[in-house]
Structure formats: C-alpha cells, structure tokens
Amino acid sequence: MQPTPVPSDLIALKPEIPLGPQDVLKSYEIGMSMVADKTSADFAGIVQAQQTNQITRQQAEYLLQQRYQMAMMQYQVLSALHDVLKHDIDEAAGQQGRQSLKTTNSDTVLVAPLSGPVAASR
C-alpha cells in the first residue's frame, strides 16, 4: 500500500501556538520599543518638514507636542500592562515555590547510616 499524499496546503499550514505569559510580556516590551522608534521617526519627519518650509515653526511645535503626548500615553499603557503581568508571573512563581516546599517537606524521608557498636554488629 502506498500512503495517500498530503495536500500541500496542509503541509504549509503552521498551527498557532497559544502565547504564554512570558511571550505576552515580551510582546509588551517589543511594543514599548516600537512606540519609541515610531515617535523618533515622527519627530524627525516633523523637523524635516519644518526645515523645508512645508510647515511653520508653530505647526511643528504643535505636532511635536501632540505626538509626544500620544506616545507617552501608549508607552504608559504598555508599561502598566507589562508591570501587572510581571507581578502576576512573579507571584505565581512564588506560590509554586512555596507549594513545592510543602510537598517536599511532607514527602521527604531521611535515611541516616548507623554508626558505632550497633552498626558493627550487623
């Protein structure tokens, strides 16, 4: 018997793996970095537009302030989400550590070799 061929669209399909807490944490960090990069690029574009007399100095100042405020709000939201999730991860790890200590203490058997005259007579 020959195996049935697998359709190429099934082979090309990559299953989505659900994100874990560490992946979400990393995505917040990437998002914060992207906000900073975009803000920097926007600032450069506004300054260039002002220098080439496409916009006035007052317009440039207004646009820079608006872009800064928007970027700060976005960054603060991502930072707060990051901090909340990080706290939850740390707390869960602490509870898991305490839980493993409880089970380790209750399931541990201590074996000590006998010494002295009792051990020699065996």
Side-chain angles (χ1 to χ4, degrees):
M1 279 189 146
Q2 291 186 347
T4 55
V6 178
S8 61
D9 58 337
L10 288 179
I11 294 173
L13 180 69
K14 295 193 182 216
E16 285 192 33
I17 299 172
L19 297 178
Q22 293 296 337
D23 297 321
V24 175
L25 204 61
K26 186 67 177 170
S27 71
Y28 290 147
E29 293 167 2
I30 291 168
M32 289 185 285
S33 178
M34 289 174 62
V35 166
D37 292 345
K38 177 154 179 19
T39 303
S40 179
D42 289 349
F43 283 2
I46 294 167
V47 169
Q48 182 179 4
Q50 193 269 323
Q51 289 175 345
T52 58
N53 296 321
Q54 294 174 340
I55 59 175
T56 66
R57 182 175 167 270
Q58 290 79 18
Q59 289 172 322
E61 286 179 6
Y62 175 79
L63 292 172
L64 288 168
Q65 289 172 352
Q66 292 299 308
R67 184 62 194 118
Y68 174 79
Q69 289 175 354
M70 180 65 72
M72 283 304 296
M73 287 188 285
Q74 291 171 336
Y75 189 90
Q76 288 171 347
V77 167
L78 290 170
S79 179
L81 290 170
H82 179 275
D83 292 347
V84 167
L85 181 58
K86 179 81 169 112
H87 177 266
D88 289 349
I89 291 171
D90 293 345
E91 196 172 270
Q95 287 176 353
Q96 204 171 30
R98 287 190 295 273
Q99 191 69 9
S100 67
L101 284 176
K102 287 179 185 176
T103 58
T104 302
N105 289 340
S106 64
D107 295 342
T108 302
V109 175
L110 180 61
V111 178
L114 294 174
S115 61
V118 176
S121 67
R122 286 189 172 192

